[in-house]
Short mmCIF file of all heavy atoms in Angstrom, two decimals:
data_model
loop_
_atom_site.label_atom_id
_atom_site.label_comp_id
_atom_site.label_asym_id
_atom_site.label_seq_id
_atom_site.Cartn_x
_atom_site.Cartn_y
_atom_site.Cartn_z
N ILE A 82 -18.04 -7.32 -24.47
CA ILE A 82 -17.19 -8.53 -24.52
C ILE A 82 -15.86 -8.18 -25.18
O ILE A 82 -14.79 -8.50 -24.67
CB ILE A 82 -17.91 -9.66 -25.27
CG1 ILE A 82 -19.17 -10.08 -24.52
CG2 ILE A 82 -16.98 -10.87 -25.46
CD1 ILE A 82 -20.06 -11.06 -25.27
N GLY A 191 -3.94 7.14 5.32
CA GLY A 191 -4.77 6.54 4.29
C GLY A 191 -6.06 7.32 4.09
O GLY A 191 -6.25 8.40 4.65
N TYR A 273 -10.19 0.62 3.04
CA TYR A 273 -9.08 1.50 3.45
C TYR A 273 -8.07 1.55 2.30
O TYR A 273 -7.61 0.51 1.82
CB TYR A 273 -8.42 0.91 4.70
CG TYR A 273 -7.33 1.78 5.31
CD1 TYR A 273 -7.58 2.53 6.46
CD2 TYR A 273 -6.05 1.84 4.76
CE1 TYR A 273 -6.58 3.32 7.03
CE2 TYR A 273 -5.06 2.63 5.32
CZ TYR A 273 -5.34 3.36 6.46
OH TYR A 273 -4.35 4.14 7.01
N PRO A 310 13.52 21.88 -5.70
CA PRO A 310 14.83 21.36 -6.09
C PRO A 310 15.80 21.31 -4.91
O PRO A 310 16.61 20.39 -4.79
CB PRO A 310 15.30 22.36 -7.16
CG PRO A 310 14.05 22.96 -7.70
CD PRO A 310 13.07 22.98 -6.58
N GLY A 379 8.43 -7.69 -1.97
CA GLY A 379 8.19 -8.38 -3.23
C GLY A 379 8.45 -7.40 -4.36
O GLY A 379 7.54 -6.69 -4.79
N ALA A 395 10.87 -1.34 -5.07
CA ALA A 395 11.23 -2.28 -3.99
C ALA A 395 10.94 -1.74 -2.60
O ALA A 395 11.82 -1.65 -1.76
CB ALA A 395 12.71 -2.65 -4.10
N ALA A 482 15.90 3.11 7.51
CA ALA A 482 14.71 2.56 8.17
C ALA A 482 14.82 2.88 9.65
O ALA A 482 15.88 3.25 10.14
CB ALA A 482 14.61 1.06 7.94
N ARG A 509 -15.71 8.38 22.58
CA ARG A 509 -16.88 7.53 22.84
C ARG A 509 -18.19 8.28 22.61
O ARG A 509 -19.17 7.72 22.18
CB ARG A 509 -16.88 7.05 24.30
CG ARG A 509 -15.94 5.92 24.60
CD ARG A 509 -15.98 5.61 26.08
NE ARG A 509 -17.06 4.72 26.42
CZ ARG A 509 -16.91 3.43 26.65
NH1 ARG A 509 -15.71 2.89 26.56
NH2 ARG A 509 -17.93 2.67 26.96
#
Side-chain angles (χ1 to χ4, degrees):
I82 296 172
Y273 185 103
R509 282 176 85 102

